[in-house]
Amino acid sequence: MSSENAFQNVQSALHRASRTATFALAALLLCSAPGTSLLAERALAAEADSASGDSAMALADPNDPDAPHTGSNPDTNAPEDADPLTIAIEQSWDAFERAEGAVSDAGVRIADVEARIDSLQERIDANQQELARLEERIPVQRQRCAEAVRTLYKMQQDGQGVIDLILNAENLGSLLLNLQYLQNIQDHNQAEIDRLVDLQQQAQRIRESLEADQAALADEQLTAYDVQAAAQKTREEAEEALEEAQEARRKMQDDAYEKAEKVCEEVTELAEEADRKAAEEAEERKRIMEGDDEEAAEAARKEQEEIDERASRQARDDDPTPEPSGTFEVVGRDGADWSVGRDAFIETWTERIDAYLEGSPLAGQGKAFATAAWNYGVDPRWSPAISNTESSKGRYCFRNHNAWGWGQNDWGSWEEAIDAHVKGLSKGYGYTITPYLARKYCPPNWIKWYRNTCEQMEKIWVEEEGGDTEDA
């Protein structure tokens, strides 16, 4: 491949890397809007609370040709409907890797140029030595040439003497010798003149070659280092875009857990206030029942019976709208590192989730869960934990491959079902679990559902000095 073609290939690679880095930055900007506020979560919870009683949000009919596509091959990159931050990160990774390749190609080009520079420099050095030698000979030859010119000029001016020399020859042999002598003088002097001309022409050619070689040397160096500088600049831009995308993901992750903490604090405060009021009301009812007003006492006894019945229903998980009670602990952070890249992330979480699912119908599906978590940008523990809360990790499914009580959906495989469920969590719920989201997902027994799911999530991964995997 010629150097011109190699240069064009490097330029093309740089152009593609630059365009992808630009796209990644644009995607990052598009997806950097603030997350759902607590008020929005409350609105969602209120909507779920007024629902007809389904145990989970219904998805679009998978057989509907207009429904969004679900399911993805765990061995492929993120689908087109993946989380925007995931797309930004993957595009940035691609741009960064291409830019690094361009930098590497530029380094190879520079090594090739430097090798040719060394060879060119050797030729320049040899030409300079030859030119120095010629320049030493030219003054001497110029002197000889001057003498030859004077001799020839003298011979031309002294034409009669030459004629006499020829005419006074004693015989033919002497005549021929005289003529040969004159010719030798003529040839010698002409040769000296020709030699000077040759030396000067040779020196001029060497000077021109030196100038051309030195210009080529400068062009080669400039081109090579320009390519390297451009590749390095593109790499830095791609690296910056990647870092920004990863930082956006980390911020989203932190914001999600900070929001979950605030929600838990708020719900706990509401629960404590409700418990306090319930205790005060219970004391008041007790006082009335022990009083002399029989009508009021009877009303208080009926009210207490209704409260006791509601508590019984809540214990049986058939209270349609249980009120919060007790303390709500936030789920431990997942410790997911989104900066390591797609393959490393999936490999790490595949191992953790497989350990959690071992011995269940969902055993071996860690990669599907980890891939979907990466694609849609959710806590990788969330969907596996819900599968335990809803169906004991797929042991008791009321629909085909539906381990999550997810609408009325059937799926043809665990991989397709996992992808659809994780995508549904991403689109309809957010990054990780909160009490409000638990109430939206499972209104009838959301308190128990929340606490059980949080407990299962922490069995998959507990962040303690780098994390520690536990068995289910």
Side-chain angles (χ1 to χ4, degrees), residues 192-438:
E192 292 295 339
I193 296 171
D194 293 342
R195 189 172 295 111
L196 174 62
V197 173
D198 289 342
L199 288 174
Q200 291 175 328
Q201 290 176 345
Q202 186 176 355
Q204 181 62 28
R205 287 195 297 271
I206 291 176
R207 289 191 190 96
E208 292 173 354
S209 177
L210 275 173
E211 291 175 358
D213 287 348
Q214 288 169 338
L217 179 63
D219 287 344
E220 288 280 2
Q221 288 177 317
L222 182 62
T223 298
Y225 288 109
D226 280 351
V227 170
Q228 186 183 51
Q232 187 63 36
K233 183 175 184 297
T234 302
R235 181 190 179 280
E236 291 170 359
E237 291 173 350
E239 185 175 22
E240 182 179 354
L242 176 60
E243 289 175 355
E244 289 183 6
Q246 291 172 338
E247 178 58 29
R249 170 64 78 193
R250 284 191 292 270
K251 185 177 185 305
M252 182 277 296
Q253 186 179 13
D254 291 341
D255 289 349
Y257 282 109
E258 288 173 7
K259 182 168 68 175
E261 290 172 359
K262 291 179 181 178
V263 170
C264 285
E265 291 172 2
E266 186 173 334
V267 174
T268 297
E269 290 176 2
L270 293 173
E272 289 174 350
E273 178 65 17
D275 291 343
R276 184 187 64 79
K277 288 183 178 180
E280 291 176 354
E281 291 171 356
E283 285 294 324
E284 179 63 16
R285 284 192 298 274
K286 181 179 179 182
R287 185 188 65 77
I288 294 173
M289 285 187 292
E290 292 174 352
D292 296 333
D293 189 339
E294 293 184 1
E295 185 177 347
E298 181 62 24
R301 278 193 293 272
K302 288 183 177 179
E303 183 178 357
Q304 186 62 48
E305 289 174 358
E306 290 176 357
I307 292 172
D308 292 342
E309 175 61 23
R310 181 169 183 177
S312 177
R313 289 199 309 272
Q314 186 168 334
R316 297 195 305 270
D317 295 336
D318 59 2
D319 186 351
T321 55
E323 294 298 329
S325 63
T327 300
F328 288 80
E329 298 292 338
V330 67
V331 67
R333 291 183 176 239
D334 57 9
D337 184 359
W338 299 85
S339 68
V340 298
R342 179 181 190 274
D343 292 343
F345 178 94
I346 292 174
E347 180 180 1
T348 297
W349 282 98
T350 294
E351 181 178 352
R352 295 171 183 174
I353 297 171
D354 276 341
Y356 173 73
L357 297 173
E358 185 176 359
S360 75
L362 281 167
Q365 295 300 324
K367 186 173 184 179
F369 279 109
T371 301
W374 171 267
N375 287 344
Y376 303 114
V378 300
D379 186 325
R381 308 167 300 170
W382 198 4
S383 182
I386 293 175
S387 78
N388 183 80
T389 303
E390 291 286 345
S391 68
S392 296
K393 302 176 186 176
R395 286 187 177 88
Y396 309 105
C397 298
F398 78 107
R399 307 290 297 213
N400 290 335
H401 295 100
N402 189 336
W404 305 272
W406 195 247
Q408 301 297 318
N409 294 286
D410 289 302
W411 286 286
S413 67
W414 284 124
E415 291 81 4
E416 183 184 4
I418 289 166
D419 183 89
H421 183 250
V422 175
K423 180 166 67 173
L425 290 178
S426 173
K427 306 300 183 185
Y429 290 80
Y431 185 80
T432 196
I433 191 171
T434 71
Y436 289 144
L437 295 178

Side-chain angles (χ1 to χ4, degrees), residues 159-178:
Q160 186 60 46
V162 173
I163 294 172
D164 290 343
L165 181 64
I166 295 172
L167 294 177
N168 292 332
E170 297 177 355
N171 51 45
L172 180 59
S174 177
L175 174 63
L176 292 175
L177 288 174
N178 289 339

